[in-house]
Amino acid sequence: ISLLRLQHWMEGIPSGITDEKSVYKGMDDKRIVWLCGMAGSGKSTIANTVAKILQDGSVPYARFFCKRDDPDRSSAARIFPTLSYQLVRLYDTYRGDITRFVNTPDRDKVIGDSIKSQREALFSKRHGEMVKGETSPVLIIDALDECTGTQAQASVVEELLAIAESFPDVKIFVTSRDEPAIRAAFNKASPEIY
């Protein structure tokens, strides 16, 4: 994947590619791009570069960089609250609703319950409607395979797919090793999303 093509995808700039053999064919319409490869192949470097490009531009983004030996960054339970916190700082309408949720007694139960309940509370279709008409965010999850537990990794992918369906025009960029549980979860996606 070229960084320029990836940047154009995030910014919604059409590629104009019609060659059926091109790896980029059909990428314009996808909501999720999964970059997988072997350890040390540069996936995190690309994810960091993407974040830097977005930081320097006008596309809002939120990111979570997983790290196996860091308890805060190896827990899949931290991904959606972290992304939500970052988006709250970017979208006023989303901020108000999430702030009301954070001040409810159910907050701790929902946040600690499951990855699915986190996504439902923090990234519902209603929240997607709140950011409609504004520049849609890019969500970056780097090194998903470094989150503890293959079931948790698969759950994160499943909930990212749900976010892609709920948030209009969201773009999600995920990097990981080509792990069977992650691949199986992505294979459940509809062709319009991934």
Side-chain angles (χ1 to χ4, degrees):
I1 239 174
S2 82
L3 284 175
L4 181 60
R5 179 63 209 113
L6 194 55
Q7 179 181 1
H8 286 180
W9 170 76
M10 290 180 288
E11 293 173 349
I13 299 170
S15 66
I17 295 173
T18 56
D19 180 1
E20 292 295 325
K21 295 179 183 174
S22 172
V23 300
Y24 304 122
K25 174 74 174 126
M27 185 175 162
D28 291 338
D29 301 328
K30 303 301 179 193
R31 309 279 283 293
I32 298 179
V33 169
W34 175 38
L35 177 63
C36 62
M38 296 172 41
S41 61
K43 300 177 302 294
S44 291
T45 300
I46 291 171
N48 277 308
T49 303
V50 165
K52 177 72 172 127
I53 288 168
L54 293 173
Q55 183 178 355
D56 293 344
S58 59
V59 178
Y61 74 98
R63 68 185 197 173
F64 190 92
F65 285 43
C66 305
K67 189 169 174 74
R68 188 177 324 271
D69 58 357
D70 181 333
D72 288 336
R73 293 174 52 199
S74 65
S75 171
R78 301 280 187 153
I79 294 175
F80 292 112
T82 301
L83 295 174
S84 178
Y85 172 77
Q86 293 173 21
L87 291 179
V88 158
R89 297 171 50 217
L90 300 171
Y91 297 101
D92 291 335
T93 53
Y94 182 68
R95 179 182 309 126
D97 197 69
I98 296 299
T99 301
R100 280 189 293 283
F101 167 73
V102 167
N103 292 320
T104 65
D106 292 343
R107 174 197 69 209
D108 292 334
K109 181 187 179 313
V110 170
I111 295 300
D113 217 13
S114 71
I115 293 168
K116 182 176 182 174
S117 65
Q118 288 180 358
R119 193 266 313 152
E120 289 171 342
L122 302 172
F123 292 93
S124 70
K125 187 171 184 115
R126 183 180 82 256
H127 296 126
E129 291 297 318
M130 289 178 178
V131 299
K132 196 172 188 173
E134 299 187 47
T135 304
S136 294
V138 174
L139 305 180
I140 303 168
I141 296 87
D142 178 48
L144 179 58
D145 57 291
E146 294 200 18
C147 275
T148 305
T150 57
Q151 181 55 46
Q153 296 165 8
S155 293
V156 168
V157 172
E158 290 164 7
E159 298 312 317
L160 288 171
L161 296 172
I163 290 172
E165 292 179 5
S166 300
F167 271 62
D169 303 321
V170 70
K171 302 285 185 173
I172 302 172
F173 180 59
V174 180
T175 71
S176 76
R177 295 179 190 168
D178 190 0
E179 298 292 342
I182 295 172
R183 177 168 291 286
F186 273 119
N187 284 341
K188 294 178 186 175
S190 68
E192 299 81 40
I193 301 292
Y194 163 74

